[in-house]
Structures are given as structure tokens and as C-alpha cells.
Amino acid sequence: MVKDGTITEKQLSHSVALVAFSGNDYAGTGVIGLSSPNDINAYIGKVTKEIAANVDQLLKLGVTKVLVNNLHPIGCTPSYTRTNNYTTCDIFENLGASLHNDNLKQVMTSKKNVYIVDVYTAFTNIVDHVAGKGSELSKQFKRKLSPCCESLDSDGYCGQQGESSAELLYTVCDNSNRFFYWDDMHPTHAGWEAVMKQLEKPLREFVNQA
């Protein structure tokens, strides 16, 4: 788009880019929480190296500021808390996320005009507390580890239908504002709002700095 003029150099020089990464990018690879420590470190190293290369490419093109989010505590998502009736996070999955985040921090340390968006801490501040405990942001959620939209089948998914469209194979909570997670992986609107309330100030400071 830069080569064909769709995006101009002037636009690039006034732009902020986001290199987004999520637990879905590791899902199904058998890496986080399953492989040997050496295999995990090697795979994570390849992933963060590629992220760093993408950041370098954006800066080389002329983007003046780049945001890169770290990995949220994927062991706290309902897809992993379902096995213990949504009571506790999976520590092994969260360890994998922490390894990714530590590695990401290392490869980004020397880069100027790059900011790591700490979604891991923002999520943990909310979900790592029992109901009624933690910050005010955390207390607003009655259910922090269970989904509002839940499949009737452990192998199913939110929105799944039976042979007829009238047969719904999932349930939906009455008030999604009291749930941090919407489905097995994704927060509700209220959940994301609580996360962004923590991130907005540092993000604005980074974007507005000369």
C-alpha cells in the first residue's frame, strides 16, 4: 500500500501501529503447557523474533510509534478453567504466557519508539481475585473465570446450533456486564472496558510524547 501510494509517507509519519498477538496464535500448536521446556523456549523464541522483525519493518517504513501487546494470562480463560469448574487458573498455561512475555521484553528492550502494552497485568488485576475481592475494577465482575456464553458440550462452542437452527447448544447469561469473559477465550465488552481503563493512561503518555 505504501508502494502504490494508498498510504503516503506523511500518513506514516503521523501514524501509530499496533502489532497484535493473542493466545489464539499459540492455540493448537501444542506449545504452551504441553511440550518440553526446551521446545517451548525454542518456539517462543521464533515467535518473538518474528514479532520483532515486523516491528523493525514498520519503523523502517516510517511509522513513528509502534505498540506491541504482550500475552494475556491464557490459563485464566474459560477454555482452561472449565476443567476445574471455573475455580482456578491453569498455572502451566500462564507460565507459558509469562515465558513469551519475558522473551518479548528482551527482544524489544533496545528498540526506540516501541511500547509493550501490558495486557497480562491488566487481565491479572481483574481475574486473579475471588469474587468480591481485588480492586474496584475486579469487584464489578461476579464471574471472572467462567463465560457468559457457554457451550452445553465441553468440545462445543458459543453459538453452536443443532441439526435445526432452533436447537441451541449453548446458554447465555442474563447480565454479561457481570462476567469478565464472553466465551471460552474473549472478554465481554465490560471486560475489555475494565482492561482499557488500566491501559489508557500509559498509552496516551506514549503516543503523546515528543
Side-chain angles (χ1 to χ4, degrees):
M1 286 191 289
V2 173
K3 288 180 179 178
D4 65 19
T6 302
I7 297 177
T8 66
E9 290 185 9
K10 183 178 180 181
Q11 286 174 318
L12 283 175
S13 66
H14 290 82
S15 297
V16 178
L18 169 65
V19 179
F21 191 89
S22 186
N24 291 347
D25 296 302
Y26 276 120
T29 63
V31 174
I32 301 295
L34 295 178
S35 304
S36 71
N38 288 338
D39 290 339
I40 292 175
N41 286 327
Y43 190 90
I44 287 174
K46 291 179 180 179
V47 171
T48 53
K49 184 178 179 181
E50 187 65 26
I51 292 173
N54 290 336
V55 170
D56 287 338
Q57 186 178 17
L58 288 166
L59 293 171
K60 188 176 180 180
L61 280 172
V63 176
T64 54
K65 295 181 187 296
V66 180
L67 305 171
V68 184
N69 69 276
N70 63 11
L71 198 57
H72 61 95
I74 54 180
C76 295
T77 58
S79 59
Y80 292 106
T81 61
R82 183 167 187 159
T83 55
N84 56 51
N85 200 28
Y86 307 118
T87 55
T88 59
C89 300
D90 186 316
I91 60 173
F92 293 106
E93 296 295 332
N94 284 351
L95 175 60
S98 295
L99 289 172
H100 169 91
N101 295 342
D102 290 344
N103 203 303
L104 180 68
K105 189 174 181 179
Q106 289 177 17
V107 299
M108 292 297 166
T109 298
S110 62
K111 300 185 187 303
K112 295 181 179 180
N113 298 319
V114 177
Y115 180 78
I116 296 179
V117 184
D118 190 5
V119 295
Y120 186 95
T121 299
F123 271 58
T124 302
N125 287 342
I126 296 170
V127 300
D128 199 24
H129 298 282
V130 297
K133 300 293 184 180
S135 66
E136 289 304 313
L137 284 175
S138 181
K139 289 178 181 178
Q140 76 184 73
F141 298 103
K142 182 179 180 182
R143 300 292 180 88
K144 302 173 186 180
L145 301 177
S146 57
C148 171
C149 182
E150 182 178 11
S151 169
L152 300 178
D153 182 353
S154 60
D155 294 323
Y157 56 89
C158 170
Q160 187 175 10
Q161 297 177 334
E163 294 182 3
S164 69
S165 58
E167 183 185 8
L168 305 181
L169 303 181
Y170 62 95
T171 60
V172 179
C173 66
D174 293 329
N175 185 2
S176 61
N177 289 333
R178 300 290 284 163
F179 284 71
F180 181 75
Y181 286 105
W182 166 250
D183 58 14
D184 282 347
M185 287 295 291
H186 308 95
T188 58
H189 287 298
W192 273 122
E193 185 176 358
V195 168
M196 286 308 300
K197 281 182 179 179
Q198 301 173 74
L199 300 175
E200 184 175 5
K201 183 180 178 181
L203 283 175
R204 286 187 180 276
E205 290 175 351
F206 170 74
V207 170
N208 293 330
Q209 71 184 16

